[in-house]
């Protein structure tokens, strides 16, 4: 293996471990983001309807 291949393998393994350990937090952040965008859209729709 070349030096860059070893480095790429280590980076891929570490990112996979981080994703597995942090998937619940990431899922929560994505869900919160979706809810915030949805609420912001509803707010904009309500302001458009009232004017």
């Amino acid at each position: 293996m070349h030096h860059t291949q070893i480095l790429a393998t280590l980076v891929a393994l570490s990112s996979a471990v981080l994703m597995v350990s942090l998937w619940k937090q990431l899922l929560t952040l994505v869900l919160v983001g979706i809810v915030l965008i949805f609420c912001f859209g509803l707010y904009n729709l309500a302001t458009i309807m009232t004017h």
Side-chain angles (χ1 to χ4, degrees):
M1 271 188 154
H2 296 294
H3 180 69
T4 53
Q5 284 180 324
I6 293 171
L7 187 64
T9 306
L10 285 175
V11 168
L13 281 173
S14 61
S15 62
V17 168
L18 277 174
M19 287 297 288
V20 168
S21 62
L22 296 177
W23 72 272
K24 284 185 181 176
Q25 288 89 339
L26 289 171
L27 188 65
T28 306
L29 282 173
V30 168
L31 286 174
V32 167
I34 289 171
V35 168
L36 284 174
I37 290 169
F38 180 71
C39 289
F40 186 68
L42 281 180
Y43 173 75
N44 280 338
L45 191 65
T47 54
I48 288 170
M49 295 295 250
T50 55
H51 286 107

